[in-house]
Amino acid sequence: MSLVDELIALLGANNLITDAGEMTASLEDWRGRYRGAALCVARPASTAEVAAVVACCHRHRVPVLPQGGNTGLVGGSVPPSSGPVPVIINLQRMRRIGLVDLVNNSIEVQAGCVLANVQQVARDAGRLYPVSLGAEGSCQIGGTIATNAGGISVLRYGNTRDNVLGIEVVLADGTICSELRALRKDNTGYDLKHLFIGSEGTLGIITAAVLKLHPLPTRCAVAWVGVGSPAQAIELLVLTRQLSGSSLSAFELMNQLQLDLVVEHVPQRRSPLDTRHPWHVLIELADTAGSADPEAALTAILEQAFDQAIVDNASIASSQGQQAAMWELRHSVSEANKKGGIGLTTDCAVPVSTIATFIERANAAVAKLAPQAQIVIVGHMGDGNIHYIPFFPFAVWDGLEQTEALARELRRAVNDVAAELAGTFSAEHGVGQTSLDEMHNYKSAASLALMRAIKHAVDPLGLFNPGRLIPPEK
Ligand SMILES: Cc1cc2nc3c(=O)[nH]c(=O)nc-3n(C[C@H](O)[C@H](O)[C@H](O)COP(=O)(O)OP(=O)(O)OC[C@H]3O[C@@H](n4cnc5c(N)ncnc54)[C@H](O)[C@@H]3O)c2cc1C
């Protein structure tokens, strides 16, 4: 029997997509920059079915590509354009959300659950699942774990890695490895879940997880602030930290060009300020204590910042609707950039104290290589994670030669600056296809050798998402 016939026998014809037209959405990435071919898209409904599908692919020596919501920004979730054609496994039928354990502050979910649905179930029970990002309406829990997604709440709650208590994984030969426990302490040797968190589908397929929940903030204040420079934004961050204590839950930065792109390309987005500023900051304070007053705290912080001439203008949201509108501006940046032109998104993180230097040096490096590039900057400033984006309107990009080489050079120039400042080229998006070369450039030979040894031990035939994350030996 052929592999496809075996998979049909396992899942039923309805749950195995083989028609190229029907597969289209799974073959191209969110930005439309990477495209490949697949044998089929398998849609199992249980861990046992995932295991059977994977075991079948293993017997046939056919590669497997785990795919979640396909919102990844580095081309890791779509098949390669050449080489062996994989079976895509998508867990969209595995969307069971367990009961919230209010005492343990945890919840067990299947990996195909959409992130926003899990947040909502937690919220309905008076708890917070803090991982939050622009794609939360479509990305899956499995995808967020496989990429160790960051987002807007990392400065207070950590990234996905910090919010996963246990996982269940199907390994390359179909073995189910369950570490699905809700424990905060377990010192029984290697913490295997961490091997799979951030592994980008190269070691196995995550089928379920126990997530850590937090108290749900009861009061929250959000402000949009105009400042003159990244250095002033950092001064504002320091002041906010000093005066707000643990209630600071987000501190996001963008430049005026980024805001302009959002307002121009995404319907119903308007700047909260009627003045233009080189830089904009979004601050959120949130508290769980009934007596706390984040709005008063934020007002006091901004008054002091005005007195110290750190900020130029600010608006505190006066309703939940206004708070949501400020957040929608922030969450619309990827959509705006996709519509507005070609943005060569980078994903660097540097120590927060060096952000201004990072931006200054990156500006100089990019200007040398491509003086016509506009610079779009947006970032999770509180984490030192700056998406520095050399940006080209479509007409300008189409007029350039050797665009692929230029894109590589520009990203390398920005990543070099981050490396000079002891930073990283991949803070939250992962490596995927976009940054595979950078692994050679910035990871030590010892680290790469160890990663290869782990990959070989867990997936000796190299069937899981081949050619991703770990570059071939030179
Ligand atoms: C508008 C927008 C905003 C975004 N904002 C952020 C942000 O602020 N922070 C951030 O970190 N990211 C952000 N992203 C990137 C992306 O949403 C995240 O990387 C997300 O975690 C990917 O989840 P997904 O389900 O879409 O995974 P996919 O894109 O489908 O897959 C991503 C990778 O995970 C692997 N994978 C998927 N599911 C599984 C599984 N069950 N088991 C094993 N491997 C699996 C895939 O093989 C692939 O390598 C954004 C994307 C968009 C489009």
Side-chain angles (χ1 to χ4, degrees):
M1 239 204 294
S2 75
L3 171 60
V4 167
D5 287 339
E6 277 191 52
L7 294 179
I8 289 175
L10 275 172
L11 302 178
N14 282 346
N15 297 310
L16 197 81
I17 306 171
T18 49
D19 178 78
E22 279 181 57
M23 277 198 278
T24 308
S26 296
L27 302 180
E28 191 171 273
D29 73 307
W30 186 82
R31 287 206 185 94
R33 295 194 188 158
Y34 298 97
R35 206 185 148 70
L39 213 52
C40 54
V41 178
R43 303 187 314 123
S46 65
T47 300
E49 283 191 0
V50 175
V53 170
V54 170
C56 197
C57 294
H58 188 257
R59 268 199 316 281
H60 285 264
R61 305 293 192 255
V62 167
V64 170
L65 170 60
Q67 189 178 67
N70 196 13
T71 67
L73 295 176
V74 288
S77 52
V78 289
S81 55
S82 59
V85 178
V87 167
I88 294 177
I89 301 184
N90 196 302
L91 304 190
Q92 58 195 235
R93 292 173 69 220
M94 293 176 58
R95 295 206 159 158
R96 199 172 53 243
I97 301 181
L99 291 178
V100 171
D101 183 334
L102 291 169
V103 177
N104 198 51
N105 275 329
S106 59
I107 187 170
E108 186 177 318
V109 301
Q110 286 188 309
C113 293
V114 170
L115 171 58
N117 295 345
V118 173
Q119 294 167 344
Q120 187 59 50
V121 169
R123 208 176 295 128
D124 290 344
R127 296 292 183 272
L128 175 76
Y129 181 58
V131 175
S132 175
L133 41 104
E136 63 198 22
S138 2
C139 66
Q140 296 178 4
I141 291 297
T144 59
I145 295 175
T147 57
N148 185 25
I152 57 171
S153 307
V154 175
L155 97 161
R156 180 159 176 183
Y157 297 102
N159 50 22
T160 299
R161 188 182 294 285
D162 300 304
N163 290 286
V164 173
L165 295 174
I167 59 171
E168 176 188 76
V169 187
V170 171
L171 301 175
D173 62 357
T175 305
I176 298 169
C177 176
S178 182
E179 297 271 325
L180 207 53
R181 284 187 296 253
L183 300 177
R184 277 157 171 84
K185 293 180 125 178
D186 178 12
N187 256 351
T188 52
Y190 307 137
D191 195 339
L192 296 175
K193 67 176 177 287
H194 286 302
L195 205 51
F196 296 92
I197 300 173
S199 63
E200 298 187 33
T202 60
L203 297 180
I205 179 158
I206 298 154
T207 46
V210 179
L211 306 175
K212 193 193 280 182
L213 302 179
H214 302 262
L216 185 67
T218 46
R219 295 183 70 178
C220 155
V222 180
W224 193 274
V225 187
V227 299
S229 66
Q232 283 180 326
I234 290 172
E235 281 184 68
L236 181 60
L237 172 63
V238 172
L239 183 71
T240 308
R241 276 207 175 118
Q242 238 170 34
L243 300 182
S244 68
S246 59
S247 69
L248 176 60
S249 53
F251 196 98
E252 301 282 308
L253 176 79
M254 69 174 74
N255 66 356
Q256 180 70 47
L257 179 55
Q258 178 63 89
L259 180 59
D260 289 342
L261 283 165
V262 172
V263 171
E264 186 181 343
H265 294 287
V266 184
Q268 284 148 17
R269 300 290 181 269
R270 245 177 285 128
S271 172
L273 303 176
D274 49 15
T275 44
R276 291 175 69 77
H277 303 272
W279 296 89
H280 297 257
V281 172
L282 189 164
I283 306 175
E284 181 181 277
L285 304 187
D287 227 308
T288 47
S291 56
D293 187 350
E295 194 173 325
L298 195 48
T299 306
I301 290 165
L302 290 172
E303 276 171 6
Q304 193 160 326
F306 273 116
D307 287 348
Q308 294 177 13
I310 297 173
V311 307
D312 297 334
N313 198 359
S315 167
I316 296 181
S318 59
S319 65
Q320 283 189 350
Q322 281 190 9
Q323 291 182 353
M326 287 183 186
W327 273 117
E328 276 162 8
L329 274 176
R330 173 61 185 88
H331 283 316
S332 300
V333 299
S334 303
E335 183 188 342
N337 296 352
K338 178 176 158 174
K339 288 179 174 165
I342 298 293
L344 306 175
T345 304
T346 61
D347 180 28
C348 298
V350 293
V352 175
S353 48
T354 66
I355 287 175
T357 310
F358 167 71
I359 293 173
E360 206 175 291
R361 289 191 196 170
N363 284 345
V366 169
K368 247 193 240 167
L369 290 169
Q372 66 279 62
Q374 301 174 351
I375 304 302
V376 172
I377 295 177
V378 57
H380 311 294
M381 190 171 202
D383 318 327
N385 180 191
I386 301 296
H387 300 300
Y388 183 100
I389 310 173
F391 189 86
F392 303 83
F394 291 114
V396 174
W397 186 251
D398 290 343
L400 295 172
E401 281 169 18
Q402 312 242 318
T403 46
E404 249 180 60
L406 179 65
R408 255 198 317 274
E409 264 185 279
L410 286 170
R411 285 206 177 93
R412 175 65 53 86
V414 176
N415 293 340
D416 276 350
V417 174
E420 275 163 33
L421 297 168
T424 174
F425 64 93
S426 176
E428 59 172 9
H429 293 165
V431 174
Q433 300 191 57
T434 311
S435 299
L436 194 60
D437 284 350
E438 305 305 56
M439 293 293 275
H440 272 307
N441 217 34
Y442 301 109
K443 280 270 187 198
S444 72
S447 299
L448 281 179
L450 192 53
M451 284 176 73
R452 279 197 192 96
I454 292 169
K455 167 77 177 167
H456 186 71
V458 182
D459 177 19
L461 299 180
L463 291 178
F464 259 83
N465 219 352
R468 304 289 157 82
L469 189 59
I470 305 172
E473 276 180 273
K474 276 195 169 162

